[in-house]
Amino acid sequence: MPVLNGKVVEGVFSSEPKARILSTLTDAMIEIEGEAMRPVTWAAIEEVKSGHFAIGGKPLTTADVKAMAAAPHVKSA
């Protein structure tokens, strides 16, 4: 039975985006392993406390993640 675990910083995602993340994770596993695995594929979202997740050693807060998500992104060619 596959167990999928996605980690996010607390307070960034509401219930609807979390449900979409869980559905998308499950669909990705099914694409790889086949539809027969859907009934036994478990997926969970774990919220990490604000400031307890880091990139490059720099702790990220909920506000940091929301600011990153709101920033315009540069697309590469």
Side-chain angles (χ1 to χ4, degrees), residues 6-51:
K7 294 189 180 198
V8 298
V9 175
E10 71 179 348
V12 174
F13 297 100
S14 64
S15 295
E16 185 177 324
K18 286 186 218 173
R20 288 184 60 213
I21 292 167
L22 293 170
S23 176
T24 301
L25 284 172
T26 300
D27 289 345
M29 179 59 72
I30 299 316
E31 184 177 320
I32 295 165
E33 293 296 326
E35 190 62 39
M37 293 300 286
R38 189 175 298 277
V40 296
T41 298
W42 295 32
I45 299 248
E46 181 180 347
E47 288 192 304
V48 178
K49 188 171 176 81
S50 180

